[in-house]
Amino acid sequence: MNPESATTRQRGTGQRGWLGNGLLILVVALTILLSTLTAVDRKAETEYTALFQRALITFALARTLNGVISAVQGTELALQPAGVGVTLTPGEVLDPINDLVERFSWIMLGATLSLGVQQVLLDIGQWWGIKLLLCLAGLVWLGLRLHRVINEKSRQESTGSEQLLLRLFILTAFVRFAVPAAMIANEGMYRLFLESRYVESTEVIENAGSEIRQMTQDDTDVAVEEAEQGVLDSLGSMFEGTRNALDFSEKVAFIRERAASLIEHLIQLSVVFILQTGILPIAFLWIFLQLFKQLFRIKY
């Protein structure tokens, strides 16, 4: 074997060893520094607050819509006299949407519970004990590794204590950063793909609820006025009542159309919150877990 070639290979191996050690030391040092700062925590808290407020607003919107539909269904008997023998049942038109709103309310309740669990996990990651354990494990490992590098023993295998400390550091880093990183990534996905769906669907549901409420309120007022009329006045307004009945038939058709739109957008909102509070957090945590498991298997 050529001595010069062997020397060159040894030098190349030594350079790669120094480079690998330097990169690993830099990553550990930056992780320790990042753990002591509050930038990640503040960003995660901001994203969590935005998501939690959206969930609360949407949950309140669902309950309000449920109340509007229940009120419309309750006005069925009051509106029948205006039809002069014509039975009109707006409540039956809204039965399917009312059932869907009930189920959507359960989805939103589950979303808020999921967010409550994520808040607890965020608090665990921000706990001073986790930060202290991360810093201690990282600093002690840095001391041992730097001592080995300085004494030109970097090509030797790391000791069992180094491996144990580094794995403890990796595990603590997962607890410290996995949930905040998942929360930030989750909101990034929302802004890219889900925000337009959420905004459009909430606007449609708010407008539809207001229109249905206003329409049925007007018809209720007419029915009350007719109930207060005398006999002669009632006979005199018979033809007017028949015309109102035909108008009301058109309104029932309009309510049916709005109900179909409500179903579509309630499903859209369900998809948004199932993704944001269920599927995406689990997916991101699973990805981070697989990454950290791979880091565990590497010999440093």
Side-chain angles (χ1 to χ4, degrees), residues 215-250:
M215 184 180 302
T216 53
Q217 182 63 42
D218 293 342
D219 288 323
T220 302
D221 293 341
V222 170
V224 171
E225 290 176 2
E226 289 180 352
E228 293 176 350
Q229 289 177 348
V231 176
L232 294 178
D233 291 334
S234 297
L235 292 174
S237 62
M238 179 180 297
F239 294 106
E240 181 67 21
T242 303
R243 187 182 65 81
N244 289 337
L246 296 175
D247 291 342
F248 187 70
S249 298
E250 295 177 358

PDB file of all heavy atoms in Angstrom, residues 215-250:
ATOM      1  N   MET A 215     -86.793  36.326   7.579  1.00  0.00           N
ATOM      2  CA  MET A 215     -87.937  35.919   6.776  1.00  0.00           C
ATOM      3  C   MET A 215     -89.057  35.351   7.641  1.00  0.00           C
ATOM      4  O   MET A 215     -90.225  35.719   7.515  1.00  0.00           O
ATOM      5  CB  MET A 215     -87.489  34.877   5.748  1.00  0.00           C
ATOM      6  CG  MET A 215     -88.565  34.435   4.788  1.00  0.00           C
ATOM      7  SD  MET A 215     -87.885  33.217   3.663  1.00  0.00           S
ATOM      8  CE  MET A 215     -86.556  34.180   2.955  1.00  0.00           C
ATOM      9  N   THR A 216     -88.708  34.471   8.543  1.00  0.00           N
ATOM     10  CA  THR A 216     -89.734  33.858   9.389  1.00  0.00           C
ATOM     11  C   THR A 216     -90.263  34.844  10.421  1.00  0.00           C
ATOM     12  O   THR A 216     -91.418  34.760  10.826  1.00  0.00           O
ATOM     13  CB  THR A 216     -89.156  32.624  10.105  1.00  0.00           C
ATOM     14  OG1 THR A 216     -87.948  32.991  10.792  1.00  0.00           O
ATOM     15  CG2 THR A 216     -88.821  31.524   9.115  1.00  0.00           C
ATOM     16  N   GLN A 217     -89.428  35.808  10.811  1.00  0.00           N
ATOM     17  CA  GLN A 217     -89.907  36.824  11.753  1.00  0.00           C
ATOM     18  C   GLN A 217     -90.968  37.690  11.098  1.00  0.00           C
ATOM     19  O   GLN A 217     -91.983  38.031  11.699  1.00  0.00           O
ATOM     20  CB  GLN A 217     -88.739  37.689  12.231  1.00  0.00           C
ATOM     21  CG  GLN A 217     -89.118  38.760  13.259  1.00  0.00           C
ATOM     22  CD  GLN A 217     -89.653  38.155  14.536  1.00  0.00           C
ATOM     23  OE1 GLN A 217     -89.122  37.170  15.037  1.00  0.00           O
ATOM     24  NE2 GLN A 217     -90.729  38.728  15.084  1.00  0.00           N
ATOM     25  N   ASP A 218     -90.746  38.037   9.819  1.00  0.00           N
ATOM     26  CA  ASP A 218     -91.750  38.833   9.095  1.00  0.00           C
ATOM     27  C   ASP A 218     -93.066  38.087   8.982  1.00  0.00           C
ATOM     28  O   ASP A 218     -94.148  38.655   9.176  1.00  0.00           O
ATOM     29  CB  ASP A 218     -91.222  39.173   7.695  1.00  0.00           C
ATOM     30  CG  ASP A 218     -90.031  40.109   7.756  1.00  0.00           C
ATOM     31  OD1 ASP A 218     -89.836  40.745   8.808  1.00  0.00           O
ATOM     32  OD2 ASP A 218     -89.281  40.177   6.753  1.00  0.00           O
ATOM     33  N   ASP A 219     -93.007  36.784   8.675  1.00  0.00           N
ATOM     34  CA  ASP A 219     -94.229  36.004   8.541  1.00  0.00           C
ATOM     35  C   ASP A 219     -94.935  35.824   9.881  1.00  0.00           C
ATOM     36  O   ASP A 219     -96.163  35.803   9.948  1.00  0.00           O
ATOM     37  CB  ASP A 219     -93.912  34.634   7.944  1.00  0.00           C
ATOM     38  CG  ASP A 219     -93.553  34.736   6.471  1.00  0.00           C
ATOM     39  OD1 ASP A 219     -94.173  35.565   5.791  1.00  0.00           O
ATOM     40  OD2 ASP A 219     -92.650  34.011   6.026  1.00  0.00           O
ATOM     41  N   THR A 220     -94.167  35.725  10.948  1.00  0.00           N
ATOM     42  CA  THR A 220     -94.778  35.616  12.273  1.00  0.00           C
ATOM     43  C   THR A 220     -95.527  36.887  12.640  1.00  0.00           C
ATOM     44  O   THR A 220     -96.625  36.858  13.198  1.00  0.00           O
ATOM     45  CB  THR A 220     -93.695  35.328  13.326  1.00  0.00           C
ATOM     46  OG1 THR A 220     -93.014  34.123  12.958  1.00  0.00           O
ATOM     47  CG2 THR A 220     -94.297  35.157  14.700  1.00  0.00           C
ATOM     48  N   ASP A 221     -94.942  38.042  12.288  1.00  0.00           N
ATOM     49  CA  ASP A 221     -95.608  39.319  12.572  1.00  0.00           C
ATOM     50  C   ASP A 221     -96.924  39.418  11.811  1.00  0.00           C
ATOM     51  O   ASP A 221     -97.940  39.894  12.339  1.00  0.00           O
ATOM     52  CB  ASP A 221     -94.687  40.475  12.181  1.00  0.00           C
ATOM     53  CG  ASP A 221     -93.461  40.534  13.073  1.00  0.00           C
ATOM     54  OD1 ASP A 221     -93.498  39.937  14.182  1.00  0.00           O
ATOM     55  OD2 ASP A 221     -92.454  41.149  12.657  1.00  0.00           O
ATOM     56  N   VAL A 222     -96.917  38.947  10.534  1.00  0.00           N
ATOM     57  CA  VAL A 222     -98.153  38.989   9.749  1.00  0.00           C
ATOM     58  C   VAL A 222     -99.208  38.094  10.378  1.00  0.00           C
ATOM     59  O   VAL A 222    -100.393  38.447  10.475  1.00  0.00           O
ATOM     60  CB  VAL A 222     -97.861  38.553   8.291  1.00  0.00           C
ATOM     61  CG1 VAL A 222     -99.161  38.350   7.523  1.00  0.00           C
ATOM     62  CG2 VAL A 222     -96.996  39.596   7.603  1.00  0.00           C
ATOM     63  N   ALA A 223     -98.814  36.921  10.830  1.00  0.00           N
ATOM     64  CA  ALA A 223     -99.761  35.981  11.431  1.00  0.00           C
ATOM     65  C   ALA A 223    -100.360  36.547  12.708  1.00  0.00           C
ATOM     66  O   ALA A 223    -101.551  36.385  12.983  1.00  0.00           O
ATOM     67  CB  ALA A 223     -99.061  34.649  11.718  1.00  0.00           C
ATOM     68  N   VAL A 224     -99.554  37.233  13.487  1.00  0.00           N
ATOM     69  CA  VAL A 224    -100.060  37.822  14.730  1.00  0.00           C
ATOM     70  C   VAL A 224    -101.072  38.923  14.424  1.00  0.00           C
ATOM     71  O   VAL A 224    -102.117  39.039  15.080  1.00  0.00           O
ATOM     72  CB  VAL A 224     -98.891  38.370  15.567  1.00  0.00           C
ATOM     73  CG1 VAL A 224     -99.408  39.188  16.744  1.00  0.00           C
ATOM     74  CG2 VAL A 224     -98.033  37.219  16.078  1.00  0.00           C
ATOM     75  N   GLU A 225    -100.785  39.747  13.397  1.00  0.00           N
ATOM     76  CA  GLU A 225    -101.718  40.803  13.030  1.00  0.00           C
ATOM     77  C   GLU A 225    -103.043  40.212  12.560  1.00  0.00           C
ATOM     78  O   GLU A 225    -104.120  40.717  12.902  1.00  0.00           O
ATOM     79  CB  GLU A 225    -101.107  41.661  11.925  1.00  0.00           C
ATOM     80  CG  GLU A 225     -99.927  42.515  12.396  1.00  0.00           C
ATOM     81  CD  GLU A 225     -99.299  43.276  11.245  1.00  0.00           C
ATOM     82  OE1 GLU A 225     -99.826  43.161  10.105  1.00  0.00           O
ATOM     83  OE2 GLU A 225     -98.295  43.971  11.477  1.00  0.00           O
ATOM     84  N   GLU A 226    -102.999  39.114  11.799  1.00  0.00           N
ATOM     85  CA  GLU A 226    -104.237  38.501  11.337  1.00  0.00           C
ATOM     86  C   GLU A 226    -105.027  37.907  12.489  1.00  0.00           C
ATOM     87  O   GLU A 226    -106.259  37.931  12.501  1.00  0.00           O
ATOM     88  CB  GLU A 226    -103.903  37.408  10.309  1.00  0.00           C
ATOM     89  CG  GLU A 226    -103.403  37.977   8.998  1.00  0.00           C
ATOM     90  CD  GLU A 226    -103.090  36.882   7.996  1.00  0.00           C
ATOM     91  OE1 GLU A 226    -103.134  35.698   8.405  1.00  0.00           O
ATOM     92  OE2 GLU A 226    -102.809  37.196   6.841  1.00  0.00           O
ATOM     93  N   ALA A 227    -104.330  37.377  13.450  1.00  0.00           N
ATOM     94  CA  ALA A 227    -105.024  36.785  14.602  1.00  0.00           C
ATOM     95  C   ALA A 227    -105.736  37.850  15.414  1.00  0.00           C
ATOM     96  O   ALA A 227    -106.747  37.581  16.080  1.00  0.00           O
ATOM     97  CB  ALA A 227    -104.027  36.038  15.482  1.00  0.00           C
ATOM     98  N   GLU A 228    -105.253  39.096  15.368  1.00  0.00           N
ATOM     99  CA  GLU A 228    -105.847  40.166  16.147  1.00  0.00           C
ATOM    100  C   GLU A 228    -106.997  40.874  15.401  1.00  0.00           C
ATOM    101  O   GLU A 228    -107.651  41.749  15.948  1.00  0.00           O
ATOM    102  CB  GLU A 228    -104.757  41.186  16.510  1.00  0.00           C
ATOM    103  CG  GLU A 228    -103.715  40.608  17.488  1.00  0.00           C
ATOM    104  CD  GLU A 228    -102.601  41.598  17.741  1.00  0.00           C
ATOM    105  OE1 GLU A 228    -102.548  42.631  17.020  1.00  0.00           O
ATOM    106  OE2 GLU A 228    -101.793  41.358  18.656  1.00  0.00           O
ATOM    107  N   GLN A 229    -107.205  40.524  14.139  1.00  0.00           N
ATOM    108  CA  GLN A 229    -108.250  41.196  13.370  1.00  0.00           C
ATOM    109  C   GLN A 229    -109.640  40.687  13.772  1.00  0.00           C
ATOM    110  O   GLN A 229    -109.805  39.567  14.224  1.00  0.00           O
ATOM    111  CB  GLN A 229    -108.048  40.944  11.873  1.00  0.00           C
ATOM    112  CG  GLN A 229    -106.853  41.684  11.289  1.00  0.00           C
ATOM    113  CD  GLN A 229    -106.665  41.321   9.826  1.00  0.00           C
ATOM    114  OE1 GLN A 229    -107.278  40.372   9.345  1.00  0.00           O
ATOM    115  NE2 GLN A 229    -105.839  42.091   9.141  1.00  0.00           N
ATOM    116  N   GLY A 230    -110.643  41.517  13.552  1.00  0.00           N
ATOM    117  CA  GLY A 230    -112.021  41.111  13.780  1.00  0.00           C
ATOM    118  C   GLY A 230    -112.548  40.266  12.638  1.00  0.00           C
ATOM    119  O   GLY A 230    -111.867  40.041  11.638  1.00  0.00           O
ATOM    120  N   VAL A 231    -113.835  39.873  12.725  1.00  0.00           N
ATOM    121  CA  VAL A 231    -114.417  38.991  11.721  1.00  0.00           C
ATOM    122  C   VAL A 231    -114.492  39.687  10.382  1.00  0.00           C
ATOM    123  O   VAL A 231    -114.111  39.141   9.343  1.00  0.00           O
ATOM    124  CB  VAL A 231    -115.812  38.517  12.177  1.00  0.00           C
ATOM    125  CG1 VAL A 231    -116.462  37.670  11.085  1.00  0.00           C
ATOM    126  CG2 VAL A 231    -115.704  37.734  13.473  1.00  0.00           C
ATOM    127  N   LEU A 232    -115.048  40.926  10.345  1.00  0.00           N
ATOM    128  CA  LEU A 232    -115.189  41.645   9.077  1.00  0.00           C
ATOM    129  C   LEU A 232    -113.831  41.929   8.453  1.00  0.00           C
ATOM    130  O   LEU A 232    -113.664  41.835   7.229  1.00  0.00           O
ATOM    131  CB  LEU A 232    -115.964  42.944   9.306  1.00  0.00           C
ATOM    132  CG  LEU A 232    -117.426  42.766   9.739  1.00  0.00           C
ATOM    133  CD1 LEU A 232    -118.066  44.136   9.975  1.00  0.00           C
ATOM    134  CD2 LEU A 232    -118.224  41.994   8.673  1.00  0.00           C
ATOM    135  N   ASP A 233    -112.882  42.331   9.316  1.00  0.00           N
ATOM    136  CA  ASP A 233    -111.541  42.603   8.785  1.00  0.00           C
ATOM    137  C   ASP A 233    -110.926  41.331   8.215  1.00  0.00           C
ATOM    138  O   ASP A 233    -110.220  41.362   7.191  1.00  0.00           O
ATOM    139  CB  ASP A 233    -110.634  43.168   9.875  1.00  0.00           C
ATOM    140  CG  ASP A 233    -111.060  44.568  10.287  1.00  0.00           C
ATOM    141  OD1 ASP A 233    -111.680  45.242   9.430  1.00  0.00           O
ATOM    142  OD2 ASP A 233    -110.778  44.972  11.424  1.00  0.00           O
ATOM    143  N   SER A 234    -111.188  40.210   8.862  1.00  0.00           N
ATOM    144  CA  SER A 234    -110.633  38.944   8.373  1.00  0.00           C
ATOM    145  C   SER A 234    -111.212  38.581   7.025  1.00  0.00           C
ATOM    146  O   SER A 234    -110.507  38.120   6.120  1.00  0.00           O
ATOM    147  CB  SER A 234    -110.914  37.820   9.378  1.00  0.00           C
ATOM    148  OG  SER A 234    -110.279  38.078  10.599  1.00  0.00           O
ATOM    149  N   LEU A 235    -112.562  38.788   6.857  1.00  0.00           N
ATOM    150  CA  LEU A 235    -113.170  38.515   5.556  1.00  0.00           C
ATOM    151  C   LEU A 235    -112.623  39.444   4.489  1.00  0.00           C
ATOM    152  O   LEU A 235    -112.398  39.044   3.344  1.00  0.00           O
ATOM    153  CB  LEU A 235    -114.689  38.661   5.652  1.00  0.00           C
ATOM    154  CG  LEU A 235    -115.410  37.600   6.492  1.00  0.00           C
ATOM    155  CD1 LEU A 235    -116.884  37.962   6.617  1.00  0.00           C
ATOM    156  CD2 LEU A 235    -115.248  36.220   5.849  1.00  0.00           C
ATOM    157  N   GLY A 236    -112.388  40.687   4.894  1.00  0.00           N
ATOM    158  CA  GLY A 236    -111.879  41.652   3.928  1.00  0.00           C
ATOM    159  C   GLY A 236    -110.467  41.354   3.486  1.00  0.00           C
ATOM    160  O   GLY A 236    -110.059  41.780   2.405  1.00  0.00           O
ATOM    161  N   SER A 237    -109.678  40.657   4.347  1.00  0.00           N
ATOM    162  CA  SER A 237    -108.277  40.377   4.006  1.00  0.00           C
ATOM    163  C   SER A 237    -108.077  38.949   3.521  1.00  0.00           C
ATOM    164  O   SER A 237    -106.955  38.458   3.473  1.00  0.00           O
ATOM    165  CB  SER A 237    -107.391  40.618   5.240  1.00  0.00           C
ATOM    166  OG  SER A 237    -107.753  39.734   6.292  1.00  0.00           O
ATOM    167  N   MET A 238    -109.199  38.245   3.150  1.00  0.00           N
ATOM    168  CA  MET A 238    -109.083  36.844   2.736  1.00  0.00           C
ATOM    169  C   MET A 238    -108.187  36.722   1.499  1.00  0.00           C
ATOM    170  O   MET A 238    -107.295  35.884   1.434  1.00  0.00           O
ATOM    171  CB  MET A 238    -110.462  36.269   2.443  1.00  0.00           C
ATOM    172  CG  MET A 238    -110.438  34.804   1.986  1.00  0.00           C
ATOM    173  SD  MET A 238    -112.098  34.213   1.650  1.00  0.00           S
ATOM    174  CE  MET A 238    -112.819  34.345   3.290  1.00  0.00           C
ATOM    175  N   PHE A 239    -108.460  37.590   0.498  1.00  0.00           N
ATOM    176  CA  PHE A 239    -107.671  37.503  -0.723  1.00  0.00           C
ATOM    177  C   PHE A 239    -106.214  37.894  -0.482  1.00  0.00           C
ATOM    178  O   PHE A 239    -105.300  37.318  -1.073  1.00  0.00           O
ATOM    179  CB  PHE A 239    -108.302  38.400  -1.805  1.00  0.00           C
ATOM    180  CG  PHE A 239    -109.650  37.924  -2.230  1.00  0.00           C
ATOM    181  CD1 PHE A 239    -110.803  38.606  -1.829  1.00  0.00           C
ATOM    182  CD2 PHE A 239    -109.776  36.788  -3.025  1.00  0.00           C
ATOM    183  CE1 PHE A 239    -112.046  38.152  -2.218  1.00  0.00           C
ATOM    184  CE2 PHE A 239    -111.031  36.340  -3.415  1.00  0.00           C
ATOM    185  CZ  PHE A 239    -112.175  37.029  -3.006  1.00  0.00           C
ATOM    186  N   GLU A 240    -106.032  38.848   0.390  1.00  0.00           N
ATOM    187  CA  GLU A 240    -104.655  39.231   0.737  1.00  0.00           C
ATOM    188  C   GLU A 240    -103.942  38.083   1.428  1.00  0.00           C
ATOM    189  O   GLU A 240    -102.752  37.820   1.193  1.00  0.00           O
ATOM    190  CB  GLU A 240    -104.682  40.478   1.640  1.00  0.00           C
ATOM    191  CG  GLU A 240    -103.292  40.992   2.038  1.00  0.00           C
ATOM    192  CD  GLU A 240    -102.525  41.529   0.840  1.00  0.00           C
ATOM    193  OE1 GLU A 240    -103.163  41.875  -0.169  1.00  0.00           O
ATOM    194  OE2 GLU A 240    -101.289  41.596   0.925  1.00  0.00           O
ATOM    195  N   GLY A 241    -104.674  37.352   2.290  1.00  0.00           N
ATOM    196  CA  GLY A 241    -104.069  36.207   2.964  1.00  0.00           C
ATOM    197  C   GLY A 241    -103.690  35.121   1.980  1.00  0.00           C
ATOM    198  O   GLY A 241    -102.660  34.456   2.136  1.00  0.00           O
ATOM    199  N   THR A 242    -104.542  34.914   0.965  1.00  0.00           N
ATOM    200  CA  THR A 242    -104.202  33.908  -0.044  1.00  0.00           C
ATOM    201  C   THR A 242    -102.923  34.285  -0.784  1.00  0.00           C
ATOM    202  O   THR A 242    -102.051  33.448  -1.044  1.00  0.00           O
ATOM    203  CB  THR A 242    -105.361  33.766  -1.032  1.00  0.00           C
ATOM    204  OG1 THR A 242    -106.546  33.429  -0.315  1.00  0.00           O
ATOM    205  CG2 THR A 242    -105.057  32.682  -2.071  1.00  0.00           C
ATOM    206  N   ARG A 243    -102.781  35.551  -1.119  1.00  0.00           N
ATOM    207  CA  ARG A 243    -101.557  36.007  -1.787  1.00  0.00           C
ATOM    208  C   ARG A 243    -100.345  35.817  -0.884  1.00  0.00           C
ATOM    209  O   ARG A 243     -99.273  35.408  -1.332  1.00  0.00           O
ATOM    210  CB  ARG A 243    -101.693  37.481  -2.186  1.00  0.00           C
ATOM    211  CG  ARG A 243    -100.532  38.004  -3.039  1.00  0.00           C
ATOM    212  CD  ARG A 243    -100.710  39.470  -3.362  1.00  0.00           C
ATOM    213  NE  ARG A 243    -100.657  40.293  -2.170  1.00  0.00           N
ATOM    214  CZ  ARG A 243     -99.521  40.671  -1.578  1.00  0.00           C
ATOM    215  NH1 ARG A 243     -98.359  40.291  -2.074  1.00  0.00           N
ATOM    216  NH2 ARG A 243     -99.550  41.440  -0.510  1.00  0.00           N
ATOM    217  N   ASN A 244    -100.524  36.096   0.413  1.00  0.00           N
ATOM    218  CA  ASN A 244     -99.426  35.902   1.353  1.00  0.00           C
ATOM    219  C   ASN A 244     -99.022  34.438   1.433  1.00  0.00           C
ATOM    220  O   ASN A 244     -97.842  34.095   1.605  1.00  0.00           O
ATOM    221  CB  ASN A 244     -99.817  36.404   2.749  1.00  0.00           C
ATOM    222  CG  ASN A 244     -99.911  37.911   2.811  1.00  0.00           C
ATOM    223  OD1 ASN A 244     -99.300  38.611   1.991  1.00  0.00           O
ATOM    224  ND2 ASN A 244    -100.691  38.429   3.760  1.00  0.00           N
ATOM    225  N   ALA A 245    -100.047  33.568   1.310  1.00  0.00           N
ATOM    226  CA  ALA A 245     -99.731  32.131   1.353  1.00  0.00           C
ATOM    227  C   ALA A 245     -98.855  31.740   0.167  1.00  0.00           C
ATOM    228  O   ALA A 245     -97.921  30.951   0.295  1.00  0.00           O
ATOM    229  CB  ALA A 245    -101.000  31.306   1.367  1.00  0.00           C
ATOM    230  N   LEU A 246     -99.195  32.294  -1.015  1.00  0.00           N
ATOM    231  CA  LEU A 246     -98.378  31.987  -2.178  1.00  0.00           C
ATOM    232  C   LEU A 246     -96.963  32.541  -2.018  1.00  0.00           C
ATOM    233  O   LEU A 246     -95.980  31.887  -2.397  1.00  0.00           O
ATOM    234  CB  LEU A 246     -99.041  32.562  -3.436  1.00  0.00           C
ATOM    235  CG  LEU A 246    -100.408  31.952  -3.788  1.00  0.00           C
ATOM    236  CD1 LEU A 246    -101.017  32.688  -4.987  1.00  0.00           C
ATOM    237  CD2 LEU A 246    -100.286  30.463  -4.076  1.00  0.00           C
ATOM    238  N   ASP A 247     -96.856  33.754  -1.458  1.00  0.00           N
ATOM    239  CA  ASP A 247     -95.532  34.320  -1.171  1.00  0.00           C
ATOM    240  C   ASP A 247     -94.760  33.437  -0.198  1.00  0.00           C
ATOM    241  O   ASP A 247     -93.551  33.234  -0.343  1.00  0.00           O
ATOM    242  CB  ASP A 247     -95.672  35.729  -0.599  1.00  0.00           C
ATOM    243  CG  ASP A 247     -96.190  36.719  -1.637  1.00  0.00           C
ATOM    244  OD1 ASP A 247     -96.095  36.390  -2.842  1.00  0.00           O
ATOM    245  OD2 ASP A 247     -96.692  37.776  -1.236  1.00  0.00           O
ATOM    246  N   PHE A 248     -95.510  32.937   0.786  1.00  0.00           N
ATOM    247  CA  PHE A 248     -94.852  32.104   1.777  1.00  0.00           C
ATOM    248  C   PHE A 248     -94.358  30.792   1.165  1.00  0.00           C
ATOM    249  O   PHE A 248     -93.323  30.257   1.542  1.00  0.00           O
ATOM    250  CB  PHE A 248     -95.805  31.829   2.934  1.00  0.00           C
ATOM    251  CG  PHE A 248     -95.156  31.105   4.079  1.00  0.00           C
ATOM    252  CD1 PHE A 248     -94.229  31.742   4.875  1.00  0.00           C
ATOM    253  CD2 PHE A 248     -95.456  29.777   4.333  1.00  0.00           C
ATOM    254  CE1 PHE A 248     -93.629  31.085   5.929  1.00  0.00           C
ATOM    255  CE2 PHE A 248     -94.858  29.114   5.372  1.00  0.00           C
ATOM    256  CZ  PHE A 248     -93.932  29.761   6.185  1.00  0.00           C
ATOM    257  N   SER A 249     -95.097  30.272   0.167  1.00  0.00           N
ATOM    258  CA  SER A 249     -94.639  29.074  -0.536  1.00  0.00           C
ATOM    259  C   SER A 249     -93.299  29.331  -1.217  1.00  0.00           C
ATOM    260  O   SER A 249     -92.402  28.485  -1.207  1.00  0.00           O
ATOM    261  CB  SER A 249     -95.678  28.636  -1.560  1.00  0.00           C
ATOM    262  OG  SER A 249     -96.898  28.301  -0.939  1.00  0.00           O
ATOM    263  N   GLU A 250     -93.169  30.517  -1.789  1.00  0.00           N
ATOM    264  CA  GLU A 250     -91.898  30.869  -2.403  1.00  0.00           C
ATOM    265  C   GLU A 250     -90.791  30.964  -1.351  1.00  0.00           C
ATOM    266  O   GLU A 250     -89.644  30.593  -1.603  1.00  0.00           O
ATOM    267  CB  GLU A 250     -92.035  32.189  -3.148  1.00  0.00           C
ATOM    268  CG  GLU A 250     -92.977  32.129  -4.337  1.00  0.00           C
ATOM    269  CD  GLU A 250     -93.134  33.474  -5.010  1.00  0.00           C
ATOM    270  OE1 GLU A 250     -92.515  34.450  -4.502  1.00  0.00           O
ATOM    271  OE2 GLU A 250     -93.844  33.570  -6.021  1.00  0.00           O
TER     272      GLU A 250
END
